[in-house]
Amino acid sequence: MIDVLVVDDDFYVAEVNAGYVSRIPGFRVVGRAHTAADALAAVERGGIDLMLLDHYLPDEDGLHLVRRLRRLGHETDVIMISAAHGAELVRSALRNGVLQYLVKPFGFPALQAKLTSYAQMRSRMDRCDTLAQGEVDEIFGALHAPVPAEVPPKGYSAATTERIRDVLLRAGKALSAQEVADLTGVSRSTAQRYLKHLQERGTVQLALKYGGAGRPEHHYESAHGAASRTHPH
């Protein structure tokens, strides 16, 4: 088994990602951390093969944490996840030994592809002490395999799904189904159907808004964007 530490300052997102990891054969979530300090302490206790690391953390960003781990001699593998994907950040991640970089928001198939290619890389390297050029090429090719396009279930449009996810990610706040409908140009009932679908997948979270008399109104926000909106950088 490959033992994984899930690091994200948003408790909800950490649970979603941990749930994703647990669905993939050969991987086991052995811990969750919500700060860089907690992540470092977990690594120092040992028993962690792979860290699924959010870049935005309250006490230290993920890239600085990776640099500190390397200075301390920790060789735990790292897959970084972040809504930030500027070229310099990605270059710095590569220079500091981050094996893969996954841009938020993402669904289960994207993470599954990254973890599967990571497992293939480990398996190939563990089989022998020396590698021929072709085997080296296969390892690097597997490690950097592209993320597959997510195929929505029957009755759902990929374009509409992406449009709704993008609206929620850019909104900066939770939106009602009607607001989502107005911003995407779909009907309210269609917006509700897609929002429920995205909520079930873990990429959208429900937020109850309490107003006057009556039941609270359902609002929705991007699960993977919620954490990044709390960080100015």
Side-chain angles (χ1 to χ4, degrees):
M1 296 293 288
I2 296 172
D3 291 332
V4 181
L5 175 69
V6 176
V7 185
D8 198 297
D9 72 328
D10 187 301
F11 284 69
Y12 180 88
V13 175
E15 285 303 313
V16 170
N17 290 338
Y20 284 168
V21 173
S22 298
R23 291 168 58 186
I24 303 171
F27 288 86
R28 174 174 57 199
V29 176
V30 295
R32 298 163 183 77
H34 308 292
T35 67
D38 288 345
L40 176 59
V43 171
E44 291 183 331
R45 287 193 295 270
I48 295 171
D49 300 309
L50 174 66
M51 183 186 300
L52 191 63
L53 177 63
D54 184 24
H55 178 61
Y56 291 129
L57 298 172
D59 52 341
E60 181 181 22
D61 69 48
L63 189 56
H64 282 99
L65 174 59
V66 172
R67 289 170 178 154
R68 191 144 63 99
L69 288 170
R70 300 309 181 226
R71 285 199 302 270
L72 293 171
H74 296 296
E75 298 180 351
T76 302
D77 291 330
V78 177
I79 294 177
M80 185 168 284
I81 57 175
S82 180
H85 47 92
E88 185 52 41
L89 175 60
V90 175
R91 279 195 294 269
S92 295
L94 289 171
R95 292 190 195 109
N96 286 275
V98 172
L99 292 180
Q100 297 175 323
Y101 198 108
L102 191 55
V103 177
K104 292 182 177 181
F106 56 85
F108 173 70
L111 181 58
Q112 182 182 36
K114 291 294 184 186
L115 293 187
T116 299
S117 64
Y118 169 77
Q120 291 172 348
M121 178 271 292
R122 283 177 60 105
S123 176
R124 285 170 174 160
M125 293 187 69
D126 290 345
R127 283 201 297 265
C128 52
D129 295 327
T130 60
L131 299 168
Q133 182 63 56
E135 293 169 318
V136 172
D137 291 341
E138 285 181 4
I139 288 171
F140 277 87
L143 191 59
H144 299 100
V147 172
E150 294 186 33
V151 179
K154 186 177 180 180
Y156 292 88
S157 159
T160 302
T161 301
E162 186 60 33
R163 191 157 70 245
I164 289 176
R165 285 172 53 174
D166 186 63
V167 161
L168 290 172
L169 186 62
R170 294 174 182 274
K173 62 178 182 179
L175 301 175
S176 68
Q178 185 60 61
E179 289 173 321
V180 171
D182 293 340
L183 290 167
T184 57
V186 302
S187 68
R188 186 175 185 275
S189 62
T190 296
Q192 285 180 315
R193 186 164 63 90
Y194 275 81
L195 288 166
K196 182 179 180 181
H197 165 63
L198 290 170
Q199 183 189 355
E200 290 172 349
R201 291 176 53 199
T203 55
V204 164
Q205 65 187 65
L206 178 65
L208 298 178
K209 183 177 182 180
Y210 294 87
R215 293 185 299 176
E217 184 179 1
H218 288 187
H219 280 59
Y220 301 85
E221 61 182 335
S222 168
H224 293 294
S228 65
R229 289 198 297 271
T230 66
H231 302 277
H233 56 292

